[in-house]
Amino acid sequence: MAENVKGITLNQQLVDLLSIIDDVESIEEQDICINDYISKLAERANGYSNGREGFALKYVISSVCKNIDVAEVIMQVYGEKNNTNRDICNSSNVASALYEKLQNYGMTKEDCEKLNTSILKGLKETDFSAKPGILEMKPEDVRNLYNHMFDKDGKSEYNRITMDTCGRYSDFVAIDGKTFCSGNIDRMMKFARKHDINTKINTFMMYSDFPNIYNDYLSKKIENGEITENECKEELKDSLMKYVIEIGSKYGDKISAVDIFNELIYNPGTAEKKDIFTEYELDENGEKIQIDEDKEGHPIYKEAGFVERSQTGWQKYLDLDDLCEMAVVARTVLPNATFTYNDWNWVIPEKRQAMIDIVNRIQQKQEEIRKNGGIKVNDEIKKTLLEKGISIDENGFLKFNENQTIIDNIGLEAHLCTETEPEQLEETVDDITKQTGLSCEVTEEDVAYEKNVEGNKNLAKIMQEKQKRLFSKIEELVAKGKLIGSTIWSLGKSSFTDKMYRYITHASVLDENYNSKLNEKQKTTLEEIDNDNQQGVFKPDALETSFTNLEENRRLSGFQKQTQVVKTLPEEKTVQVNKELD
């Protein structure tokens, strides 16, 4: 297991831009290449977002087929299949339809299959939207980030890159659930290898990463009586496992860590839709119990608390046993990678306990699988493993010994607010370690504060100081050995919380020029900041207005209730700015 992780999160578009600095020596040429990349991305994003009919498909088809007549026929076939019960997910069916239409153009069945595969990959590997902040980047911004990350010899400031939106199921598997699209992750791996940096996949299994189009296709097959619900579950499970096998066998020791499970516990009232409900609660032993039924015997749905997701994404079809079997398969192809259970809002005691409970259940399943010596996989997964040169016995039994693990450590998505106290964070880490016996790591580090405070200079300074205290606390916990490392999540202006709530931002430990905020000259106490306010600009009525939206956000997101007093000069103007939240 990697110790003292110092990580940074990069998406594929950032890596594409940084790679330009690697490949192009002259600053003038770098400027041309960077501006060209961003302008072409903006053009695609604009065409797609403006709802131009079939824009993405037309773009990809024109890229793989230069014959205009043939391209029109292909578009017609895809249009027909897309409008017929989402049958576009059936790649064999689409390839056959292409052959029927294109054989007059001298194309063979094999040609049509290859053409269809190219289109499926193009749809997955071509960006039709920009990641946050990318379109606003200037060439000097890209160089600033590059210079922050690497010294003049190309040696990295960081020892691991978390590959955001690159390597997940939804990034790697086409809409047929079978075709693998490795173009983006290949470029990410090349960049990491050039600079001798480890890579981490976020994530193998996350509820919001569920293939909805493919699921709709399978659901229609259930309605038509073509497959049963259990067969639908097995097909989805097989697709997930094949993806894991493909990633692991293709990249092997290039992957040093994986968030094997991500956000298994529901977090009500935050970024998720309000209409997500559950028909289960968990009893004191962590077992599912069905809640009350109506007069017709149907379960009465109610908004979930901090419970395991059972109606969302992969977990709607696959239970914890299924997911642990996937992890065993992953361990087979990635024997040396660190496997992390990753989740957020650990600082909330109620949610933390729910997450610790599910970690304990995973550990219990791990022990059960060890005692059994492994798991039995179906013939489809057995065949896939053998094709990748992975040994498995003739009965499909995949070995798992007493030294192998399903999870190695706990990942804290530290998407925090400035109202979190540093002591809370340390108490959280201590509690997790004590109850699970696993080490902890900050996997997604950002701390947000309200951007509206910038209208009040003194309040802005206080928020900045509180933010730095939390960043400093994370560094302290790493130095103490209570955390095995931390990974920056947000960069520059982009922010996890900004994407959720719009009015909270400035979350990154790096400023807009990609310098660490902890290296800046800073006040050491809030009292010193208060002493700067000689003009009395810190007005109680401004505070009350400024915090209205922030308090509502904290209420929705479940941030820990707390009361804090901010003092101003003169002394009689002391005001309470954060009342205990309902």
Side-chain angles (χ1 to χ4, degrees), residues 249 298 356:
S249 61
H298 301 298
I356 288 173

Side-chain angles (χ1 to χ4, degrees), residues 10-12 120-127 129 131 163-175 179-186 188 201-204 206 208-211 243 247 251 314:
L10 298 176
N11 58 56
Q12 181 54 52
L120 289 174
K121 288 185 175 182
L123 289 169
K124 185 62 64 175
E125 295 173 353
T126 305
D127 287 331
S129 62
K131 309 302 182 189
M163 300 185 291
D164 185 33
T165 65
C166 183
R168 295 180 183 179
Y169 183 100
S170 61
D171 304 312
F172 193 78
V173 185
I175 58 176
T179 301
F180 300 124
C181 311
S182 62
N184 290 337
I185 194 171
D186 283 344
M188 181 78 83
I201 289 181
N202 168 263
T203 167
F204 272 174
M206 181 182 184
S208 63
D209 197 44
F210 187 64
Y243 142 74
I247 286 272
Y251 300 105
W314 291 103

